[in-house]
Amino acid sequence: MQQLFVENMSIDLAKEILSWRYEAPYDFYNNDLDTDTLRELLENPYYSVIDNSGELVGFFCIGQSAQVPSGSKFGTYSEEMIDIGIGMKPGLTGKGYGSTFFSFVLNHIQDENCIPIRLTVAKFNQRAIHLYEKFGFVRIMEFRNDSTEFIVMIKKDL
């Protein structure tokens, strides 16, 4: 993977992200390109990750946008931490680029903040969970919404 850069989300990049299609079971992460999802990416703290050839590699979000709304009723997000969410271009997943991508995102976030980082991941996504554990994230709780089980993980050591 080439050198990576963070850019503010633009309407063109948001549209590209919303058009991504993952294969099952990761199709859980597919979105629809509509006014609401476009607004979500443009009006909240979402950032594009671009390589040095200008290609969109992935994105990340921080704060409430990275939280699963139903998790709040379980007290999941009661402690002050930085919530992060990531997404990588479907054609790049499962090819060994995850560590480089996630390391870049973590370094960017940790450079600007010094409180613990938390993330929420679908329990079926063992590929992502394994990656997060390699970076020192530990499971702190699980919860379920109507259709999906989630694991909440934190990274305390900065």
Side-chain angles (χ1 to χ4, degrees), residues 72-88:
S72 295
K73 66 183 176 189
F74 301 103
T76 304
Y77 307 114
S78 58
E79 292 185 55
E80 185 177 345
M81 295 185 192
I82 297 172
D83 288 284
I84 64 169
I86 64 167
M88 199 161 81

Side-chain angles (χ1 to χ4, degrees), residues 33-150:
L33 175 53
D34 60 34
T35 305
D36 289 339
T37 55
L38 201 53
R39 188 179 300 125
E40 168 71 19
L41 269 67
L42 294 172
E43 295 179 1
N44 292 292
Y46 280 80
Y47 302 91
S48 305
V49 178
I50 309 293
D51 68 19
N52 55 349
S53 66
E55 291 294 313
L56 178 62
V57 172
F59 70 92
F60 67 94
C61 61
I62 57 174
Q64 193 170 356
S65 296
Q67 298 175 356
V68 175
S70 61
S72 295
K73 66 183 176 189
F74 301 103
T76 304
Y77 307 114
S78 58
E79 292 185 55
E80 185 177 345
M81 295 185 192
I82 297 172
D83 288 284
I84 64 169
I86 64 167
M88 199 161 81
K89 191 174 195 169
L92 299 175
T93 62
K95 293 183 169 52
Y97 300 131
S99 288
T100 301
F101 176 71
F102 192 53
S103 175
F104 173 78
V105 171
L106 279 180
N107 287 335
H108 179 79
I109 292 169
Q110 289 174 336
D111 283 348
E112 297 182 6
N113 300 281
C114 60
I115 62 174
I117 295 174
R118 174 176 50 212
L119 57 81
T120 305
V121 60
K123 190 173 183 177
F124 74 81
N125 194 346
Q126 291 300 310
R127 190 166 66 188
I129 293 165
H130 177 72
L131 175 68
Y132 303 148
E133 288 173 338
K134 279 181 24 182
F135 281 87
F137 281 79
V138 295
R139 301 169 192 224
I140 57 166
M141 73 175 294
E142 295 183 17
F143 68 91
R144 179 179 186 86
N145 68 12
D146 294 338
S147 59
T148 308
E149 290 180 88
F150 293 93

